Amino acid sequence: MGYRPVAEHSSILFFCISELANIEPMYQYSLTWFINLYLFSIAESVKSDNLAERINNIVEHFTLSIYKNVCRSLFEKDKLLFSLLLTVGIMQGKDQVDEQVWRFLLTGGIALDNPYSNPAPEWLSDKSWSEIVRASNLPKLNGFFEHVQENISEWKKLYDSGKPHKDQLPDPWNELVGMDRMIVIRCFRPDKLVPAVQDFIVDNMQQAYVEPPNFDLAGTYKDSNCCSPLIFVLSPGSDPTADMGGSKIQTISLGQGQGPIAAQMIDRAIKEGTWVVLQNCHLATSWMPTLERICEETITPDNTHINFRLWLTSYPSDRFPVSILQNGLKMTNEPPKGIRANLLSSYLSHPVSDPTFFGSCSKPVVWQKFLFGLTFFHALVQERRNFGPLGWNIPYEFNESDLSISIRQIRMFLDDYEEVPLEALTYLTGEYLIVLNRAWNSFTSAKFRVVRVSLVNIRKALKGEIVMSAELDDVYNSMLVGKVPAMWASKSYPSLKPLGSYVTDLLARLQFLQDWIDNDSPIVFWLSGFFFTQSFLTGVSQNFSRKYTIPIDYIGFEFELIKIFIDILGEYSHYPDDGAYVKGLFMEGARWDRETMYIGESLPKILFDSLPIIKLKPGEMAKFKHENIYVCPIYKTSTRRGTLSTTGHSTNYVMSIELPSDKPQKHWINRGVACLCQLDD
């Protein structure tokens, strides 16, 4: 056998990193780069006369080297995923992974309905119960859901535990290990799946694979050469080139007409041995083929000065040349984690770190207050991004360069004016936080044609009657992992649901509309079931406008949340005189207190609360009181952001409703409270 195990192990690693391009198009790595690391590990790993020991030394050194080198080019959110893929890939090579179990861990299984009733709906969600039932079909979890039904109090302890991934499972399941144990954690406490994955990686690899290396620009530079570009893959809030300056560095921000100038700068620099920094390559996609040609034909060992370096910065883009990505050294440098770390980073960065700049302002007291306020604001903008749509609907851009410009601007205005120009500074600094909307095509009936035709064609392709095209192959692969195919999503209403839940939701929407056609309009409308919600709201307003001859521009809605919706014989068994009853909303960031009939704080481990039936009460907006309320936005999905459609409406934002509150509005704004038309599960 000789060194064959090293070759087999290395091939597994290469295919693991090749798969990363499916996560992010910037994650590209060449075979040449891989082989160079392979040769480096052979040379640098501990030598031994014992063949088995020598093989083990090479494998361990090379695996860790691959992990560290790839990690520096990954965003933080993808590093643990890479560790998991690496671990599972190596285990698959040793035939230690049951593919059925692995697929279930990723998707939770796929099914449209669950014939078994939930034994504890007061704390166990229907989604979790459905996964428990489906998991019982796995080899080592046979009889799982029956045991849960019969021992619900024992499993409640796991659900309530602060560290369920560490606790012992109820007998006889305490012998479960690895992926089977992680599936149990996924079913009961998906919020603890990340630490469970970390434990799994440590158990099968070692601690180093859950501790990615810190950003090291100097170390990356040492690994570079004159013919390999150094590529910064940017994330909002980071600008790794902010402190790069000097007489031997030329910087240009790419955009319209800047390509030829950049080419001239590179041509001079490769002769003189200086550095060129090309910023924002994602904004010059039409010039990228030219840059690719320059890297392949001009920047060669024969005619390039040994000290020359080409630095590129770009946000993730599928138009970035693959050959440059594969042959370059890629790095990511995301903003510091935490308010304190972010503040410290700002004060230690240029220009604030320059004692002359910091200490020579003509208004030192005002200057230092402004400086702290601005850096704190910058840290807050960055930190809120970690909380997804609860932090910002859209991940706002306010990076180190923006901060540096704002700081210099404040300093200049304070020195140039006797009075502090507060309004001017507020306007100039605030202008960095712009959101740009763009048109997006609305949902059409073509959706159903696409779904039907693709399913029919997949069946034909599997029978060999037609060729399996790339589009059909994508649909088929998406269905295997429980993901909504891209072909469907491009024609769909906004949804983040997995495939099984998506199909169930789609069928429910169709049934809602069919019932309306067959049985007249419902007493209570399922607001979430409309493909174009704004048209329904406009219709309610128009009915009121015609009835009372009031211009529709003057009409708005008041909102009454119904405490108890009376049965068919009661008060709400008939249509309202004006307006409409609606249902189907979920509240995130807070809950609806059905006793006090006010917004209340969320209960532990309950992320979403369903709202009761709401009465939309149209009226003249000028007569509304707007007292003791929270203006709560409604979104179609939990991303809470969309684009401007051709109708002039957002593709995600629906409207805002006024909910009774015994706390000031800012209390709920800080918690990011909003209503959603649908959940992600």
Side-chain angles (χ1 to χ4, degrees), residues 274-466:
T274 55
W275 294 1
V276 173
V277 181
L278 304 185
Q279 295 180 321
N280 300 325
C281 293
H282 59 286
L283 299 180
T285 54
S286 61
W287 190 71
M288 286 298 99
T290 304
L291 177 62
E292 185 175 25
R293 189 165 58 253
I294 290 172
C295 290
E296 291 177 351
E297 300 175 3
T298 305
I299 307 176
T300 60
D302 295 335
N303 63 351
T304 302
H305 194 288
I306 193 172
N307 292 329
F308 168 77
R309 293 294 186 276
L310 176 62
W311 302 78
L312 308 174
T313 75
S314 176
Y315 279 93
S317 170
D318 55 6
R319 302 283 297 278
F320 199 96
V322 172
S323 64
I324 297 179
L325 288 171
Q326 290 183 337
N327 296 309
L329 283 172
K330 296 176 289 298
M331 298 159 281
T332 59
N333 181 26
E334 296 179 85
K337 304 300 180 187
I339 296 287
R340 181 176 179 178
N342 218 307
L343 278 170
L344 184 61
S345 174
S346 297
Y347 274 87
L348 293 177
S349 300
H350 192 75
V352 183
S353 60
D354 181 356
T356 304
F357 179 86
F358 179 79
S360 60
C361 180
S362 60
K363 300 181 180 67
V365 176
V366 177
W367 156 240
Q368 291 180 27
K369 288 182 177 180
F370 266 116
L371 179 62
F372 178 79
L374 184 62
T375 53
F376 186 85
F377 172 67
H378 170 261
L380 190 64
V381 169
Q382 301 305 327
E383 195 63 18
R384 284 188 71 107
R385 290 167 43 82
N386 295 330
F387 299 91
L390 283 176
W392 298 115
N393 292 16
I394 298 170
Y396 291 104
E397 172 73 10
F398 188 45
N399 61 29
E400 281 89 344
S401 293
D402 298 329
L403 176 64
S404 176
I405 292 170
S406 299
I407 289 172
R408 293 175 187 275
Q409 198 167 246
I410 288 174
R411 166 69 194 276
M412 179 184 70
F413 272 70
L414 290 178
D415 284 341
D416 290 350
Y417 292 86
E418 289 188 15
E419 296 291 329
V420 177
L422 184 59
E423 288 188 13
L425 288 172
T426 302
Y427 174 78
L428 289 171
T429 304
E431 281 300 294
Y432 284 109
L433 299 179
I434 299 173
V435 180
L436 297 176
N437 290 318
R438 61 184 181 182
W440 184 80
N441 291 328
S442 61
F443 178 85
T444 67
S445 60
K447 160 72 181 173
F448 303 106
R449 291 197 298 273
V450 168
V451 173
R452 178 174 175 78
V453 170
S454 62
L455 291 175
V456 170
N457 286 341
I458 281 179
R459 180 180 293 178
K460 290 181 179 178
L462 292 175
K463 291 180 179 179
E465 296 174 1
I466 62 173

Side-chain angles (χ1 to χ4, degrees), residues 125-290:
S125 70
D126 289 339
K127 176 179 180 291
S128 295
W129 173 241
S130 296
E131 288 190 2
I132 291 169
V133 172
R134 293 195 293 270
S136 301
N137 295 320
L138 299 175
K140 295 184 180 179
L141 289 170
N142 186 34
F144 181 40
F145 86 87
E146 291 94 340
H147 187 274
V148 173
Q149 283 179 319
E150 297 165 3
N151 301 272
I152 199 68
S153 60
E154 290 297 311
W155 290 101
K156 178 70 160 57
K157 294 176 184 176
L158 182 73
Y159 175 81
D160 289 333
S161 172
K163 45 182 179 53
H165 58 293
K166 299 285 189 184
D167 291 348
Q168 194 172 33
L169 300 180
D171 288 332
W173 311 101
N174 57 354
E175 300 297 326
L176 290 177
V177 294
M179 289 187 186
D180 296 295
R181 180 181 172 84
M182 283 198 290
I183 285 175
V184 174
I185 299 301
R186 176 194 167 103
C187 291
F188 283 95
R189 290 291 299 277
D191 58 310
K192 292 297 182 181
L193 196 54
V194 167
V197 167
Q198 290 173 326
D199 290 345
F200 174 77
I201 293 168
V202 172
D203 291 341
N204 290 280
M205 300 285 278
Q206 53 179 286
Q207 185 69 27
Y209 291 90
V210 292
E211 296 175 349
N214 294 325
F215 178 73
D216 181 13
L217 184 58
T220 304
Y221 174 73
K222 288 179 182 178
D223 293 340
S224 70
N225 60 65
C226 61
C227 297
S228 295
L230 294 102
I231 307 163
F232 285 111
V233 184
L234 302 176
S235 62
S238 71
D239 184 9
T241 64
D243 295 332
M244 292 177 64
S247 59
K248 293 189 176 182
I249 298 179
Q250 294 177 288
T251 302
I252 184 171
S253 183
L254 294 180
Q256 189 172 8
Q258 299 300 303
I261 300 173
Q264 293 173 10
M265 291 169 61
I266 293 172
D267 194 51
R268 288 197 304 270
I270 60 175
K271 297 181 177 67
E272 299 170 358
T274 55
W275 294 1
V276 173
V277 181
L278 304 185
Q279 295 180 321
N280 300 325
C281 293
H282 59 286
L283 299 180
T285 54
S286 61
W287 190 71
M288 286 298 99
T290 304

Side-chain angles (χ1 to χ4, degrees), residues 6-54:
V6 178
E8 292 175 347
H9 180 84
S10 300
S11 67
I12 291 170
L13 298 186
F14 182 73
F15 285 112
C16 282
I17 63 174
S18 298
E19 292 293 323
L20 291 175
N22 294 323
I23 301 171
E24 169 56 61
M26 302 294 277
Y27 298 163
Q28 303 274 357
Y29 308 89
S30 70
L31 181 60
T32 303
W33 168 87
F34 183 83
I35 291 174
N36 287 336
L37 276 182
Y38 177 69
L39 296 175
F40 178 79
S41 288
I42 291 176
E44 295 297 320
S45 56
V46 178
K47 307 296 187 291
S48 175
D49 293 331
N50 183 289
L51 180 61
E53 186 176 325
R54 174 63 174 149

Side-chain angles (χ1 to χ4, degrees), residues 522-523 525 536-537 539-541 543-545 547-548 556-558 574-582 614-619:
I523 295 175
F525 291 91
F536 167 74
L537 299 172
V540 175
S541 298
N543 287 341
F544 185 84
S545 174
K547 182 176 180 179
Y548 296 99
F557 288 110
E558 290 183 299
H574 302 289
Y575 299 100
D577 293 333
D578 298 311
Y581 296 119
V582 297
I614 301 173
K615 183 179 181 181
L616 303 180
K617 301 165 62 177

Side-chain angles (χ1 to χ4, degrees), residues 50-69:
N50 183 289
L51 180 61
E53 186 176 325
R54 174 63 174 149
I55 288 174
N56 186 63
N57 292 343
I58 295 175
V59 165
E60 287 191 356
H61 188 282
F62 184 46
T63 306
L64 192 58
S65 177
I66 283 289
Y67 172 72
K68 290 181 176 179
N69 276 273

